[in-house]
Amino acid sequence: MDLNLKGKVAVITAASKGIGKSIAEGLLNEGVKVLISSSNRENLRQLDAEFSEKGFTGYSLEVCDLNLKSDIERLFAKAILEFDTVDILINNCGGPKAGAPSSMNDSDWQKGYEHTLLSAVLLTSLAVEEMKKNKWGRIINITSLSVKQPIDNLTLSNAFRSALTAYAKTLSLEVGQYNITVNNIMPGYTLTERLDHLAAIKADERGIDKAEILREMAENVPLKRLGKPEEIANITVFLCSDAAAYINGTSIPADGGLIKTI
Ligand code: NAD
């Protein structure tokens, strides 16, 4: 299937590692020009070395801490300066702090809000203006299966990703007339540093090995395995394409069947 994405311009956040990095790679494989950002300069440097080694061109890198509005504005300005426009926006973020509702203080809530919800809203508002001019756009938020089935102990993720999903739906009602689609992807257990970190927390709590926690997670998935970051990237790249032009205002799970809803 020709995805017809060659020459499009994408901006992706929190993409030096894990799911974001795989999505950047997937888009580059389709000939998309990608502005890749992350809060961590050293991680970006390592990514640059790896992508150069793989022979990728047509990408640019920018440090962007999603908790800083000034960084978000600078990221968008760089996209315009280097690539003239933005056709595709992938709102990814680092996972917000884990913990039970009773363990969260005001500052945790504020940081979680800025990182998980406000950053996506700010960047989306900037990108939409470009997409309207182009009469074409794709906005994709990487959320979580927690939107359909809240996960124990992930208070901030559960709360703010649901809010982001409601914002995305509302936005899709406004911008569909400009041929802009807005969708969310809900990863299930996907083997990245984030999942490893969450497994380590659970392992500590239960006094067992992290490998045992990861094995239990995999056992809960109908496909009996954890997801790979490239499996989230594949559906994301498809949603960016013209082949997915009539998919709008929805959330798509990529979870091996883990969510127990019909
Ligand atoms: P990861 O921890 O492997 O990678 C996160 C990326 O975010 C890194 O590149 C990191 O540098 C960047 N980052 C962290 N804080 C940042 C900040 N303040 N500003 C900008 N960038 C920042 O995570 P992942 O597993 O790839 O997950 C990506 C997203 O998907 C997360 O929001 C996560 O909660 C969500 N998710 C992951 C899973 C999973 O099983 N891995 C499941 C559901 C949802």
Side-chain angles (χ1 to χ4, degrees), residues 13-20 37-40 43 64-67 92-96 115 142-145 157 161 186-195:
T13 53
S16 62
K17 290 187 169 188
I19 290 170
S37 70
S38 158
S39 57
N40 189 310
N43 289 350
C64 175
D65 184 335
L66 292 171
N67 282 86
N92 186 41
C93 65
H115 182 76
I142 307 303
T143 60
S144 169
L145 64 86
S157 174
R161 293 185 202 282
M186 302 180 291
Y189 298 142
T190 312
L191 198 49
T192 64
E193 279 186 21
R194 163 83 174 163
L195 194 72

Side-chain angles (χ1 to χ4, degrees), residues 232-259:
I232 311 300
N234 289 342
I235 179 73
T236 309
V237 172
F238 173 71
L239 277 183
C240 290
S241 74
D242 282 335
Y246 209 55
I247 301 174
N248 186 28
T250 196
S251 286
I252 299 182
D255 69 340
L258 181 59
I259 298 173

